[in-house]
Amino acid sequence: MRLRAGLDTLLGLLPGGGALIGTALSLYIVWEGRRMGVDRQTVQRMLGNVAIEAVVGLVPLAGDLFDTVFKADLRNIALIEAALAGRLGGQ
């Protein structure tokens, strides 16, 4: 399995507010999904992904490693795509 570190992982390494910036960017993805018409249940799942990553991200180093594996942003983008595909496919 090949692991790649994304922007969220790198931001988490910054002292101070790096993890907060990463969480804000993750919440922007959730906001965009809602703006595109994703259903409430999907938005709740997306917020859960962000919350898990934010809470675990508070743990120094272990949180950064978790960010590299969990990838809440990629999970949330996949949820948006699936929700929109389901909506379009059901018409």
Side-chain angles (χ1 to χ4, degrees), residues 18-42:
L20 185 60
I21 294 169
T23 300
L25 292 173
S26 294
L27 288 172
Y28 176 74
I29 293 171
V30 176
W31 181 77
E32 280 294 325
R34 185 66 187 143
R35 192 181 66 77
M36 288 189 274
V38 170
D39 60 282
R40 184 180 306 266
Q41 181 180 2
T42 301

Side-chain angles (χ1 to χ4, degrees), residues 3-14:
L3 293 178
R4 294 173 39 188
L7 179 61
D8 197 32
T9 301
L10 297 175
L11 285 172
L13 294 174
L14 294 175

